[in-house]
């Protein structure tokens, strides 16, 4: 197996115990842990560089600005953006998608237009569009799933029809692990002149992403799922799309001029960054990008394929355990959802917690998907660079303990 276990020493939280047992953190799809390199970058900013950015009146402010803009350049390099200016810092994936809705959707959609998403979307790629349909009279249409938990693209040209103005699809499901059909979605959007958006919240942390070859108009992701701090996310956009998009938020930092009734905007990306930005967090994201780049995203992906394959194998051996998601690690990421007999997923999480194992249980902010699956909740284990096969074994032992407690044969 690709051995990344030497990385574990960089993550102080992994030294903790839970209920007297070593922490086994299997909830990285919710948020990842942070290496000392990221903690130090944030700490160093506050200790040595703290000043507001883009004001330029004194040296400290210039240093803070350089560090913040330097983080933008690192992110741009990480996703191979054509220009640093295509990277907009937002609060999160959620904020990034809302920004497209309120900055582009509101101005370009009309009654009868279509927004196409899929049945496996996180609420962050569902609810903003529902809000936008209310404002514009556009309607929401869904790409269904196959029986193998893949997005069904066999009739994509019927769903992404001539009325479609936006196609927004998850690059990787946080519930099923399924890798989204990004190339097909982009092609279908292109064919009808629609905007192609990728929710990259789970994709960008786990796979090498080249936004230029991907061909979408926008990609959204969050720092906190890729070893970075909470409170900062990225909206990458193709420059022509960013130029035509309106700011969804107004305030300081984003203007060229403000008159009594009208204002003009600063250049991209600053016209989308109203107010004091998440400076320390962006700098922390820059350090996270450095850290991931040093591992190499191909190694990150390879390690995940291997640990996911191992987890799928071991979990499949447990009687009455059902896995929801593709069984081929090449078609999926490292979030593995399952149920065990009729044990409630929350009870599973509680029993596992006694063993030091942290998993998520619930609807995972994907209620339309839960409706399609006919489930109220699943248990979900999700893996990242610092996880090792022994932790899968601890998970499996905990699940056998749950079977014993609940009398599941
Ligand atoms: N899209 C996907 C695919 C996600 O997994 C998440 C968060 C989001 C969007 C929203 O990201 P945020 O940073 O704006 O909150 N997913 C999860 C999860 O699976 N458990 O907690 C958050």
């Amino acid at each position: 197996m690709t051995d990344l276990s030497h990385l574990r020493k960089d993550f102080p939280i992994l030294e903790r115990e839970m209920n007297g047992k070593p922490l086994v953190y299997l909830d990285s799809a919710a948020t990842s842990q942070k290496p000392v390199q990221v903690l130090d970058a944030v700490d160093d900013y506050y200790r040595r560089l703290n000043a507001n950015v883009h004001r330029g009146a004194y040296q400290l402010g210039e240093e803070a600005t350089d560090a913040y803009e330097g983080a933008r350049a690192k992110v741009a390099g990480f996703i191979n953006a054509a220009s640093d200016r295509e990277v907009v810092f937002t609060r999160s994936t959620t904020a990034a998608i809302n920004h497209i809705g309120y900055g582009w959707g509101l101005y370009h959609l009309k009654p009868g237009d279509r927004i196409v998403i899929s049945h496996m979307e996180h609420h962050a790629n569902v609810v903003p569009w529902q809000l936008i349909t209310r404002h514009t009279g556009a309607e929401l249409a869904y790409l269904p799933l196959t029986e193998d938990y893949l997005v069904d693209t066999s009739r994509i040209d019927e769903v992404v029809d001539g009325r479609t103005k936006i196609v927004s699809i998850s690059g990787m499901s946080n519930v099923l692990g399924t890798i989204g059909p990004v190339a097909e979605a982009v092609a279908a959007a292109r064919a009808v002149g629609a905007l192609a958006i990728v929710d990259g919240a789970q994709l960008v942390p786990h796979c090498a992403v080249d936004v230029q070859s991907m061909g979408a108009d926008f990609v959204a992701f969050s720092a906190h799922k890729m070893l970075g701090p909470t409170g900062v996310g990225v909206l990458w956009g193709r420059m022509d799309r960013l130029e035509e998009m309106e700011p969804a938020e107004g305030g300081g930092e984003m203007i060229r001029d403000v008159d009594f009734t009208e204002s003009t905007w600063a250049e991209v990306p600053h016209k989308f960054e109203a107010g004091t930005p998440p400076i320390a967090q962006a700098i922390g994201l820059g350090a996270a990008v450095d850290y991931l780049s040093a591992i190499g995203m191909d190694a990150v992906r390879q390690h995940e394929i291997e640990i996911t394959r191992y987890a799928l194998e071991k979990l499949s051996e447990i009687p009455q355990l059902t896995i929801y998601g593709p069984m081929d690690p090449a078609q999926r990421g490292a979030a593995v959802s399952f149920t065990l007999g009729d044990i409630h997923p929350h009870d599973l999480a509680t029993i596992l917690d006694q063993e030091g194992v942290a998993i998520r249980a619930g609807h995972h902010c994907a209620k339309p998907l839960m409706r399609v699956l006919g489930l109220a909740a699943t248990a979900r284990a999700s893996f990242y660079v610092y996880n090792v096969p022994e932790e899968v074994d601890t998970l499996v032992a905990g699940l056998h303990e749950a079977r014993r407690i609940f009398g599941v044969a």
Side-chain angles (χ1 to χ4, degrees), residues 29-30 92-94 122 124 170 172 174 199 201-202 222 224-225 360 364 380:
S92 58
T93 304
T94 303
H122 184 281
S170 176
M172 185 185 283
N174 64 318
D199 172 353
Q202 298 293 343
S222 296
H224 71 95
K225 294 187 199 289
R360 187 171 173 193
H364 314 291
R380 180 190 70 187

Side-chain angles (χ1 to χ4, degrees), residues 133-169:
T133 61
R134 283 204 213 165
H135 287 288
T136 60
E139 63 188 49
L140 205 50
Y142 286 83
L143 288 168
L145 301 182
T146 66
E147 283 186 355
D148 306 325
Y149 305 101
L150 303 176
V151 177
D152 185 355
T153 53
S154 60
R155 299 156 84 102
I156 192 167
D157 296 336
E158 288 169 36
V159 184
V160 181
D161 62 7
R163 297 172 295 165
T164 305
K165 294 291 186 320
I166 293 176
V167 179
S168 188
I169 187 143

Side-chain angles (χ1 to χ4, degrees), residues 308-318 323 327:
T308 304
R309 178 179 291 123
Y310 184 67
L312 292 171
E313 258 169 41
K314 290 286 158 189
L315 289 171
S316 304
E317 289 167 5
I318 300 177
I323 294 169
M327 293 304 285

Side-chain angles (χ1 to χ4, degrees), residues 214-226:
M214 186 180 253
D217 295 289
F218 291 104
V219 180
F221 53 100
S222 296
H224 71 95
K225 294 187 199 289
M226 52 189 288

Side-chain angles (χ1 to χ4, degrees), residues 74-135:
K74 287 180 184 184
V75 172
F78 187 66
I79 57 174
N80 195 32
S83 151
D84 300 356
R85 293 178 55 221
E86 292 183 341
V87 171
V88 178
F89 285 126
T90 64
R91 178 172 46 80
S92 58
T93 304
T94 303
I97 295 175
N98 275 275
H99 211 123
I100 309 167
Y102 287 92
W104 196 92
L106 215 52
Y107 295 89
H108 291 87
L109 297 175
K110 57 181 189 315
D113 285 348
R114 251 187 185 194
I115 302 165
V116 175
I117 60 175
S118 85
H119 271 154
M120 69 174 194
E121 300 308 318
H122 184 281
H123 293 166
N125 196 27
V126 178
V127 184
W129 304 120
Q130 293 176 341
L131 291 169
I132 293 301
T133 61
R134 283 204 213 165
H135 287 288

Side-chain angles (χ1 to χ4, degrees), residues 239-278:
M239 188 48 79
D240 53 341
R241 292 301 196 181
L242 290 171
E243 295 283 6
E244 76 184 30
M245 189 163 81
E246 295 291 327
E249 286 185 344
E253 302 248 0
M254 51 75 73
I255 55 89
R256 184 194 311 279
D257 191 23
V258 177
D259 206 339
F260 291 103
T261 52
E262 289 288 338
S263 301
T264 51
W265 316 137
E267 296 290 323
V268 173
H270 299 112
K271 79 172 179 183
F272 304 117
E273 296 181 359
T276 298

